[in-house]
DNA sequence: AGCGGATGTACAG
DNA sequence: TGTACCTCCGCTT
């Protein structure tokens, strides 16, 4: 699940169910138990997302910093909460709702300064209003690194993961191995604008859909595809299958320990 | 029962 | 560049 859209959605969901009220804070698994005890009963004042980082704000400029990593999961529900299992790192509960966090890469109590340090090392986020794509461009335009690697670098752009990377490069016909400095400003601005729209849709729908209406199975006269990850996409995890647009074979390769997917015919 | 992956990051060298 | 870490699920035996 977790690319930036998931985290922004979580920030909104935590706010809606728990914001502005006192919350019970526990760590059934124990790894966050000391901090949970400090916060138990405090009011959740605000929530915030930057890229894949989630921040839950409590009085005194104290923040729970959550990063889901690859495996982290969050589950919300209506009261009464079920008995927690021993993998629940963090549970929030109030009379109406509960939410469990499992398997995060990070769940820690931070000061305002420590939180600021995280913001400072992240690039602009297409989902944060006012974030400046020019900051990303200044790095991209000077880099010999591939645009595929740059899009995954959270210091360059915050929130893009393996699915949005593959999909946005396909939608713009860009070869993932092209060097950042060989991108034009126009191409970058178009990528950024597209990411903003795609990820905003992702927040709304809680899934990633990137296929334009004219390329859906219905529009192309194909059988509806069997969907194995929750959204309709052009290339992500479609290795050796037929491209929705040109019919050619989708390629895959390992790039920095992640699987890259692209259509060599459509992306040059 | 046991394995291999997975929308991620950090650190060692 | 490799490896460790977090958890769950679906596949194979």
């Amino acid at each position: 699940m977790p690319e930036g859209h998931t985290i922004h959605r979580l920030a909104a969901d935590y706010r809606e169910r728990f914001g502005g009220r006192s919350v019970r804070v526990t760590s059934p698994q124990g790894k966050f138990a000391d901090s949970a005890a400090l916060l138990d009963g405090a009011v959740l004042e605000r929530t915030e997302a930057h890229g894949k980082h989630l921040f839950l704000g409590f009085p005194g400029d104290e923040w729970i910093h959550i990063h889901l990593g690859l495996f982290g999961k969050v589950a919300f529900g209506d009261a009464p909460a079920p008995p927690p299992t021993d993998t629940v790192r963090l549970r929030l509960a109030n009379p109406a709702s509960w939410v469990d966090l499992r398997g995060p890469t990070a769940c820690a109590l931070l000061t305002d300064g420590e939180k600021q340090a995280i913001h400072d090392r992240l690039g602009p986020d297409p989902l944060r209003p006012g974030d400046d794509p020019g900051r990303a461009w200044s790095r991209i335009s000077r880099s010999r690194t591939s645009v595929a690697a740059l899009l995954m670098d959270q210091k360059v752009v915050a929130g893009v993961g393996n699915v949005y990377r593959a999909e946005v490069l396909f939608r713009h016909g860009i070869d993932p191995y092209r060097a950042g400095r060989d991108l034009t400003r126009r191409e970058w601005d178009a990528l950024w604008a597209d990411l903003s729209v795609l990820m905003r849709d992702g927040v709304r729908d809680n899934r990633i859909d990137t296929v334009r209406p004219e390329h859906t199975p219905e529009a192309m006269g194909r059988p509806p595809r069997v969907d194995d990850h929750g959204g309709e996409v052009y290339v992500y995890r479609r290795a050796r299958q037929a491209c929705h647009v040109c019919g050619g074979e989708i390629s895959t390769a390992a790039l920095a320990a992640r699987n890259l997917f692209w259509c060599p015919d459509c992306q040059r």
Side-chain angles (χ1 to χ4, degrees):
Chain A
M1 292 284 285
E3 294 195 24
H5 69 300
T6 302
I7 312 309
H8 283 261
R9 173 61 180 256
L10 287 175
D13 290 347
Y14 269 93
R15 185 184 309 125
E16 184 176 323
R17 285 184 181 261
F18 299 99
R21 283 170 287 172
S22 165
V23 284
R24 298 304 312 268
V25 184
T26 53
S27 178
Q29 179 199 51
K31 285 193 186 176
F32 190 65
D34 293 350
S35 300
L38 290 174
L39 293 172
D40 193 24
V43 173
L44 176 63
E45 292 183 323
R46 50 209 157 134
T47 69
E48 191 179 334
H50 186 166
K52 301 167 189 171
H53 297 256
L54 174 63
F55 302 96
L56 307 180
F58 291 88
D61 286 330
E62 297 212 89
W63 297 87
I64 298 180
H65 170 227
I66 294 170
H67 194 296
L68 295 182
L70 198 47
F71 312 122
K73 287 208 167 37
V74 172
F76 290 92
D78 297 330
T85 60
D86 57 9
T87 56
V88 176
R89 181 77 58 89
L90 171 68
R91 168 173 283 188
L92 300 190
N94 65 21
S97 293
W98 57 271
V99 58
D100 284 349
L101 167 69
R102 289 183 167 78
T105 285
C107 175
L109 195 52
L110 301 190
T111 64
D112 221 36
E114 290 165 330
K115 170 174 178 280
Q116 190 55 49
I118 292 173
H119 291 298
D120 291 346
R121 66 176 157 78
L122 290 174
D125 178 345
L127 288 176
R128 282 170 74 92
D131 270 20
D132 175 16
R135 279 176 55 215
W137 174 246
S138 68
R139 280 172 166 273
I140 292 166
S141 59
R142 273 188 243 128
S143 178
R144 278 164 294 185
T145 304
S146 66
V147 63
L150 288 165
L151 280 176
M152 292 283 278
D153 183 343
Q154 303 297 299
K155 297 188 293 299
V156 177
V157 199
V160 174
N162 209 17
V163 182
Y164 283 120
R165 158 177 83 171
E167 294 300 306
V168 80
L169 289 175
F170 177 89
R171 285 168 57 98
H172 293 260
I174 294 171
D175 179 343
Y177 289 100
R178 193 173 344 151
R181 64 183 184 185
D182 294 331
L183 222 58
T184 65
R185 179 67 200 249
R186 181 183 295 272
E187 283 173 320
W188 168 243
D189 286 343
L191 286 170
W192 173 273
D194 203 22
L195 284 169
S196 303
V197 172
L198 290 173
M199 294 175 75
R200 187 63 60 196
D201 289 350
V203 174
R204 185 193 59 212
D205 302 335
N206 223 358
R207 48 181 260 170
I208 299 178
D209 294 285
T210 60
V211 176
R212 299 185 178 92
E214 64 269 32
H215 297 139
T216 59
E218 306 79 64
M220 301 289 281
R222 286 190 307 270
R225 84 187 196 83
V226 180
D227 174 4
D228 55 357
H229 76 281
E232 195 69 37
V233 294
Y234 284 107
V235 294
Y236 175 69
R237 281 217 261 179
R238 296 197 61 246
R240 290 174 296 284
Q241 298 178 44
C243 173
H244 290 329
V245 175
C246 76
E249 194 170 279
I250 302 301
S251 293
T252 186
L255 187 87
R258 310 305 302 281
N259 295 317
L260 174 64
F261 303 90
W262 79 103
C263 173
D265 294 321
C266 293
Q267 298 174 253
R268 303 185 172 278

